[in-house]
Amino acid sequence: MTPEFVLGLFLILVGTIAVAFPREKTYLARLINLEIPGWGVLLVMLSYNEALALLTFGGVTTLTVYLFARVLQKKEGAL
């Protein structure tokens, strides 16, 4: 097991807990905490193939930020 793989698994675990149980229960805090397991997934994929990891990380990060930004806009408009 490479150090990238172990660190990636640790970040996935910690990030998932941070998203599920945030200190501040705001959508922005959850969006920021969602990046932690994203970096963990990147490190796990880097232990296998660099090109695959970077392309997947770029695509997934773009989609998740867009979706959460839309959710934030709709929630702020409803208040």
Side-chain angles (χ1 to χ4, degrees), residues 13-44:
L13 179 67
V14 169
T16 303
I17 292 170
V19 170
F21 306 106
R23 285 189 225 155
E24 300 175 19
K25 297 197 182 246
T26 63
Y27 288 99
L28 185 59
R30 287 185 184 216
L31 177 64
I32 292 170
N33 288 339
L34 189 63
E35 293 298 319
I36 297 170
W39 280 97
V41 170
L42 173 70
L43 288 174
V44 168

Side-chain angles (χ1 to χ4, degrees), residues 1-6 9 47:
M1 293 174 66
T2 63
E4 295 90 7
F5 185 76
V6 173
L9 290 178
S47 67

